[in-house]
């Protein structure tokens, strides 16, 4: 039986895209968990979570912000979040 390929942070966005495209929720969750445990910055985590509708990762990323003022700059510069994520932020 072949061994699983190790994940690395550079491949995560592409893996989320593929898991989303091919409707592989278990793979998507596995990659989201890896991202949550990584040292990726919280803004990038939130952007990826929103882009691929990874609910767990949205929760995790938002928990990294201390208060609303921390993420208002992302909204101000025009980060295009989904209405669902914008509502959770605000």
């Amino acid at each position: 039986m072949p061994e699983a390929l190790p994940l690395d942070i550079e491949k995560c966005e592409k893996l989320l895209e593929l898991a989303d495209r091919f409707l592989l929720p278990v793979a998507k969750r596995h990659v989201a968990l890896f991202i949550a445990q990584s040292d990726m910055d919280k803004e990038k985590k939130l952007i990826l979570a929103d882009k691929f509708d990874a609910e767990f990762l949205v929760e995790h990323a938002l928990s990294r912000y201390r208060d609303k003022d921390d993420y208002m700059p992302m909204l101000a510069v025009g980060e295009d979040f989904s209405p669902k994520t914008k509502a959770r932020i605000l």
Side-chain angles (χ1 to χ4, degrees):
M1 177 181 249
E3 208 171 297
L5 295 174
L7 281 177
D8 62 48
I9 206 67
E10 291 81 33
K11 296 176 187 171
C12 286
E13 185 170 1
K14 189 64 174 175
L15 289 171
L16 280 175
E17 178 186 328
L18 291 170
D20 199 47
R21 181 185 313 160
F22 294 109
L23 304 174
L24 301 168
V26 174
K28 188 165 138 178
R29 174 125 173 117
H30 182 72
V31 175
L33 287 169
F34 177 79
I35 292 170
Q37 295 173 355
S38 75
D39 60 353
M40 180 185 287
D41 64 71
K42 60 189 175 189
E43 291 83 10
K44 181 70 173 172
K45 286 180 182 182
L46 186 57
I47 291 166
L48 287 176
D50 180 63
K51 182 176 180 180
F52 297 106
D53 196 27
E55 188 65 31
F56 165 79
L57 193 53
V58 170
E59 287 291 327
H60 169 76
L62 288 177
S63 75
R64 296 292 175 215
Y65 290 91
R66 300 228 187 273
D67 58 35
K68 190 168 46 174
D69 294 332
D70 285 349
Y71 45 81
M72 290 309 268
M74 283 188 7
L75 293 174
V77 295
E79 207 49 68
D80 193 23
F81 291 112
S82 69
K84 182 177 169 182
T85 300
K86 283 182 186 176
R88 306 234 3 240
I89 289 171
L90 300 174

